[in-house]
Amino acid sequence: MDRLQSMQIFARVVDMHSFNRAADSLLTSRSLVTRAIKDLEQFLGVRLLQRTTRHLSLTPEGTVYYDHCKRLLADIEAVESSFPARAGNPRGRLRVDMTLSLARLVVIPALKDFQARFPDVDLILTMSDRKVDLIQEGVDCVVRTGTPENSGTLVARRIGAFDWVTCASPTYIAQHGEPRTLDDLAQHHSVGYLSSQTARPWDWHFVVNGEDRFIAMREHLVVDDIDAYVACGAEGLGMVRAGSYMVLPYLLSGRLRRVLSDFSAPAIPLSVLYPQNRHLSPTVRAFADWVAEVVREAEAGWRVN
């Protein structure tokens, strides 16, 4: 029995409350995970987990062993990462979640550079804008827009920001006219975006003379995908308001036109979030540094006049 590997498997099973999810996150089979736990329990002479078909929980002995495992594994990672050769050469599986639009427009075009810099990292990139439980889902870090909630369990590292841009297609403007003031929006309609986090469409947020103003637009069409949202705007199905990096290709092609450019809103931060541990994984740190660099290089091009 490889005791260190068994400890890693045991900790992952506990973190994810599932043998199957632990196996998936470790890119191994459930049978190997099950055998590792059984061998560990036999070696220690105690039962670590109480498991039924629907529930998985730690025994008192398992709780003590889990706490020690987490500390030992963190210490080992910290010692290994302190050596220059290891610190400069991140390795292993890295699972990252981010929004589809950010991945498609900003991150994926730069991924060859990441692979060239870190050839020993196997990246699993998933795309969503929902709230992710990093521990239970085996996600190492997420990239999110907006001001992160202060959960106390996650570290949020700001890597950039983008502006909101209000747009309409030339065909929409030809049919409905161009709004010049916020009061004009009462005569217009927008495409609605149904956020997976709030389960309701967004109000449009502007800042006028230092004060917040929120406007609920009339919506004849609501979608739950941000790329579809911008595409609907380009088809003239309603006005849209989205991040500068999302609409920039449409503005450059002329399929969308910026309107209400005199009315702004606070910039929207982009952050990398990861679990709050004593020691940050060198692989997570490498990705966070790299994606921050990619966003910094892209930010200058996001400025829409």
Side-chain angles (χ1 to χ4, degrees), residues 58 63 71 93 104 132 140 157 164 225-227 244 268-269 292 296:
L58 285 165
T63 299
R71 287 196 293 270
R93 181 195 65 87
R104 182 174 62 84
V132 173
D140 297 293
R157 172 182 169 182
W164 285 116
D225 176 84
I226 195 66
D227 286 329
S244 52
I268 304 301
R296 280 196 305 271

Short mmCIF file of all heavy atoms in Angstrom, two decimals, residues 58 63 71 93 104 132 140 157 164 225-227 244 268-269 292 296:
data_model
loop_
_atom_site.label_atom_id
_atom_site.label_comp_id
_atom_site.label_asym_id
_atom_site.label_seq_id
_atom_site.Cartn_x
_atom_site.Cartn_y
_atom_site.Cartn_z
N LEU A 58 -17.75 10.60 8.61
CA LEU A 58 -16.55 10.19 9.32
C LEU A 58 -16.89 9.55 10.66
O LEU A 58 -17.81 10.01 11.37
CB LEU A 58 -15.65 11.40 9.57
CG LEU A 58 -14.87 11.94 8.37
CD1 LEU A 58 -14.34 13.33 8.67
CD2 LEU A 58 -13.72 11.01 8.00
N THR A 63 -12.38 11.26 11.89
CA THR A 63 -12.27 12.71 12.03
C THR A 63 -10.86 13.10 12.46
O THR A 63 -10.25 14.03 11.92
CB THR A 63 -13.29 13.23 13.05
OG1 THR A 63 -14.61 12.92 12.58
CG2 THR A 63 -13.17 14.74 13.24
N ARG A 71 -3.25 18.26 7.47
CA ARG A 71 -2.06 19.02 7.88
C ARG A 71 -0.79 18.43 7.27
O ARG A 71 0.09 19.16 6.79
CB ARG A 71 -1.96 19.04 9.41
CG ARG A 71 -2.98 19.96 10.07
CD ARG A 71 -2.58 20.25 11.51
NE ARG A 71 -2.66 19.05 12.33
CZ ARG A 71 -3.75 18.67 13.00
NH1 ARG A 71 -4.86 19.39 12.92
NH2 ARG A 71 -3.74 17.59 13.74
N ARG A 93 -2.76 17.64 -12.16
CA ARG A 93 -4.07 18.04 -12.67
C ARG A 93 -4.51 19.35 -12.04
O ARG A 93 -4.36 19.57 -10.84
CB ARG A 93 -5.11 16.96 -12.34
CG ARG A 93 -6.51 17.25 -12.84
CD ARG A 93 -7.51 16.33 -12.16
NE ARG A 93 -7.54 16.62 -10.73
CZ ARG A 93 -8.31 17.55 -10.18
NH1 ARG A 93 -9.11 18.27 -10.92
NH2 ARG A 93 -8.29 17.76 -8.87
N ARG A 104 -13.85 31.71 -23.92
CA ARG A 104 -13.82 31.72 -25.39
C ARG A 104 -13.07 32.93 -25.94
O ARG A 104 -12.31 32.81 -26.90
CB ARG A 104 -15.25 31.71 -25.92
CG ARG A 104 -15.36 31.68 -27.43
CD ARG A 104 -16.80 31.51 -27.88
NE ARG A 104 -17.62 32.61 -27.45
CZ ARG A 104 -17.75 33.77 -28.09
NH1 ARG A 104 -17.04 33.98 -29.20
NH2 ARG A 104 -18.54 34.72 -27.65
N VAL A 132 -19.97 27.69 -7.47
CA VAL A 132 -19.33 26.38 -7.42
C VAL A 132 -18.81 26.11 -6.02
O VAL A 132 -18.17 26.97 -5.41
CB VAL A 132 -18.17 26.32 -8.44
CG1 VAL A 132 -17.38 25.03 -8.29
CG2 VAL A 132 -18.70 26.45 -9.86
N ASP A 140 -10.12 23.44 -8.35
CA ASP A 140 -8.97 24.08 -7.69
C ASP A 140 -9.14 25.59 -7.59
O ASP A 140 -8.73 26.19 -6.59
CB ASP A 140 -7.69 23.75 -8.45
CG ASP A 140 -7.38 22.26 -8.42
OD1 ASP A 140 -7.09 21.75 -7.33
OD2 ASP A 140 -7.43 21.62 -9.48
N ARG A 157 -8.51 36.89 -5.42
CA ARG A 157 -7.41 37.70 -5.94
C ARG A 157 -7.90 38.44 -7.19
O ARG A 157 -8.23 37.81 -8.20
CB ARG A 157 -6.21 36.82 -6.29
CG ARG A 157 -5.11 37.59 -7.02
CD ARG A 157 -3.97 36.67 -7.38
NE ARG A 157 -3.03 37.33 -8.29
CZ ARG A 157 -1.95 36.75 -8.81
NH1 ARG A 157 -1.66 35.50 -8.48
NH2 ARG A 157 -1.18 37.41 -9.65
N TRP A 164 -19.11 48.09 -18.27
CA TRP A 164 -20.40 47.79 -18.89
C TRP A 164 -20.57 48.66 -20.12
O TRP A 164 -20.24 49.84 -20.10
CB TRP A 164 -21.56 48.09 -17.93
CG TRP A 164 -21.76 47.10 -16.83
CD1 TRP A 164 -21.62 47.33 -15.50
CD2 TRP A 164 -22.15 45.74 -16.97
NE1 TRP A 164 -21.90 46.18 -14.80
CE2 TRP A 164 -22.23 45.20 -15.67
CE3 TRP A 164 -22.44 44.91 -18.06
CZ2 TRP A 164 -22.59 43.87 -15.43
CZ3 TRP A 164 -22.79 43.60 -17.83
CH2 TRP A 164 -22.87 43.09 -16.52
N ASP A 225 -27.93 32.37 -21.36
CA ASP A 225 -26.54 32.19 -21.80
C ASP A 225 -26.03 33.54 -22.28
O ASP A 225 -26.67 34.19 -23.11
CB ASP A 225 -26.47 31.15 -22.92
CG ASP A 225 -25.05 31.01 -23.47
OD1 ASP A 225 -24.27 30.25 -22.87
OD2 ASP A 225 -24.73 31.67 -24.48
N ILE A 226 -24.88 33.98 -21.77
CA ILE A 226 -24.41 35.33 -22.04
C ILE A 226 -24.01 35.49 -23.51
O ILE A 226 -24.21 36.57 -24.10
CB ILE A 226 -23.23 35.70 -21.11
CG1 ILE A 226 -22.99 37.22 -21.14
CG2 ILE A 226 -22.00 34.92 -21.45
CD1 ILE A 226 -24.09 38.05 -20.59
N ASP A 227 -23.46 34.46 -24.14
CA ASP A 227 -23.12 34.57 -25.55
C ASP A 227 -24.39 34.70 -26.40
O ASP A 227 -24.44 35.48 -27.36
CB ASP A 227 -22.30 33.37 -26.01
CG ASP A 227 -20.87 33.43 -25.50
OD1 ASP A 227 -20.35 34.54 -25.33
OD2 ASP A 227 -20.28 32.36 -25.25
N SER A 244 -17.45 44.88 -21.68
CA SER A 244 -16.77 45.40 -22.86
C SER A 244 -16.09 44.32 -23.67
O SER A 244 -16.12 44.33 -24.90
CB SER A 244 -15.77 46.49 -22.44
OG SER A 244 -14.91 46.01 -21.42
N ILE A 268 -16.48 46.38 -13.43
CA ILE A 268 -16.75 45.08 -12.85
C ILE A 268 -15.44 44.32 -12.65
O ILE A 268 -14.71 44.07 -13.62
CB ILE A 268 -17.69 44.26 -13.76
CG1 ILE A 268 -18.97 45.03 -14.03
CG2 ILE A 268 -18.00 42.91 -13.12
CD1 ILE A 268 -19.75 45.40 -12.80
N PRO A 269 -15.10 43.96 -11.43
CA PRO A 269 -13.83 43.26 -11.21
C PRO A 269 -13.86 41.82 -11.70
O PRO A 269 -14.91 41.17 -11.72
CB PRO A 269 -13.66 43.31 -9.68
CG PRO A 269 -15.04 43.49 -9.14
CD PRO A 269 -15.82 44.24 -10.16
N ALA A 292 -3.81 36.33 -14.69
CA ALA A 292 -3.74 37.77 -14.38
C ALA A 292 -2.95 38.50 -15.46
O ALA A 292 -3.31 39.61 -15.89
CB ALA A 292 -3.11 37.99 -13.01
N ARG A 296 -4.40 41.38 -17.96
CA ARG A 296 -3.76 42.70 -18.03
C ARG A 296 -3.45 43.08 -19.48
O ARG A 296 -3.64 44.22 -19.90
CB ARG A 296 -2.47 42.71 -17.20
CG ARG A 296 -2.68 42.90 -15.72
CD ARG A 296 -1.38 43.29 -15.03
NE ARG A 296 -0.30 42.35 -15.28
CZ ARG A 296 -0.05 41.28 -14.54
NH1 ARG A 296 -0.83 41.02 -13.49
NH2 ARG A 296 0.97 40.48 -14.82
#
